[in-house]
Amino acid sequence: MKLKGRYGQYGGFYVPEVLIPAIEEIEAAYLRFQKDPAFVGELNSLLADYAGRPTPLYHARRFSEQTGFAVWLKREDLLHGGAHKTNNALGQGLLAKYMGKKKLIAETGAGQHGLATAMVGALFGMETKIFMGSIDVARQNVNVHKMKLLGAEVIPVSGGTGTLKDAINEALRYWTANVEDTFYLFGTAGGPHPFPMIVRQFQSVIGREARAQCLERIGRLPDVVAACVGGGSNAIGIFSGFLNDSSVRLVGIEGAGRGLETGHHCATLNKGAVGILHGAQTYVLQDADGQIHETECVSAGLDYPGVGPEHAYLKDSGRAEYVAVEDEQVLDAFEMLTRLEGIMPALESSHALAWLLSQKGLLPSRTVAVVNLSGRGDKDVGIVEEHRPMG
Ligand SMILES: *Cc1c(COP(=O)(O)O)cnc(C)c1O
């Protein structure tokens, strides 16, 4: 059974026995409703009228002068909720509703997935619990307040390092004890099967739109598609639209934090080794004894020692490449887009922008690059101020 949901050697579902029926129930419901016109129609109208799809594809001309080639932004920052997370939360929330579930749980790191789940909980009138590391509760307290306003209960998790990994552990523990009536709305394209498959599908709208918008607006496919990678959902969402276009280079960007050699980073695909974390076989940041490494980078949303299994597979197969940029480059990129375009990007998304800036003089001037601008930076202004005080 662990062979289901495989991407090469990666993926699977390594979960406690008691969760297997719940996981199979979600898989079966997904496979059924994904083809159900009522479900598909309701999801599409929510994506349009509630969340604001399609999101625009914007030619960032002033930013492009800095890279020396054309940069287009896929504006997921304009999606309701301020990040791509809403696509997945609406999809899984609607699935929970069609399954007759009345209670949602979710994990969150920076708070964007918790916020998206709390929005959907309010929309569908479901009782919602959000598990969040205690350190993240402290450093992302605007999002905590928003989740509470939306009617969700925020449960601080103080075990481990008090970050996303511990929140997922606690959410899985809670689910194990309450599996009968609770739907676990997982936030990224990782974890046990079927989550990587489901989350990819709900995020693939980004790639479908971006590909069609490129053909219509630019008249051709882009040369490069770039996206930041934490668990990998926004990246797989946009990559999925271009996987069969072999001329399109797919680049995932991780957090090199204070430097890949310092040990203070979030670069799972660059520095990890194959292991099992949160129910899936994938790359994991761990030491020789299999102890999970602390992750550390400027953006809380990338602060995760695992990665979705499809990315592990795309890395090994060479179809996508995974690079890493350091915190200082990320802050530079944040400032650059903000000052040149009047668009404040999330620090997560700023990783992808930083990599594009690093390609100045390396990529030819006729290059067309599309970046998934996964979210807006309002949540990050305090962190930017800490690193770059304006005086
Ligand atoms: C959560 C988040 C990410 C990282 O998650 P992925 O699953 O890797 O996409 C990236 N950008 C933003 C804005 C986020 O909120």
Side-chain angles (χ1 to χ4, degrees), residues 13 21 25 85 91 102 146-147 198 231 267 270 284 301 329 340 349 359:
F13 54 111
E25 186 194 1
K85 300 285 194 322
K102 301 264 187 295
K146 287 183 185 169
M147 288 184 258
I198 292 179
N270 279 276
V284 180
Q329 295 172 271
L340 294 179
S349 325
Q359 296 305 294

Side-chain angles (χ1 to χ4, degrees), residues 83-85 112 188 228-234 301-302 346 348-349 374-375:
H84 69 287
K85 300 285 194 322
Q112 288 301 114
T188 192
C228 64
V229 177
S233 69
N234 89 87
L302 303 185
E348 291 84 3
S349 325
S374 54

Side-chain angles (χ1 to χ4, degrees), residues 17 40 49 96 104 109 111 156 165 307 325 328 330 339 348 383:
E17 207 65 37
V40 173
D49 305 334
L104 299 176
K165 156 178 74 67
V307 66
V325 295
E328 290 301 316
V330 172
R339 295 299 282 268
E348 291 84 3
I383 297 165

Side-chain angles (χ1 to χ4, degrees), residues 68-144:
F69 52 83
V71 175
W72 292 70
L73 310 176
K74 180 60 176 158
R75 300 288 310 273
E76 294 303 295
D77 61 314
L78 292 177
L79 199 67
H80 178 49
H84 69 287
K85 300 285 194 322
T86 306
N87 299 316
N88 173 51
L90 279 175
Q92 284 193 53
L94 194 64
L95 186 61
K97 181 179 146 184
Y98 274 63
M99 289 169 72
K101 302 284 178 186
K102 301 264 187 295
K103 296 182 183 174
L104 299 176
I105 59 168
E107 81 294 344
T108 198
Q112 288 301 114
H113 177 58
L115 184 61
T117 303
M119 281 162 29
V120 165
L123 176 66
F124 295 141
M126 293 181 189
E127 183 187 313
T128 304
K129 286 184 168 51
I130 307 295
F131 294 85
M132 187 171 189
S134 52
I135 298 290
D136 290 333
V137 168
R139 67 180 169 181
Q140 301 288 340
N141 81 46
V142 175
N143 273 342
V144 172

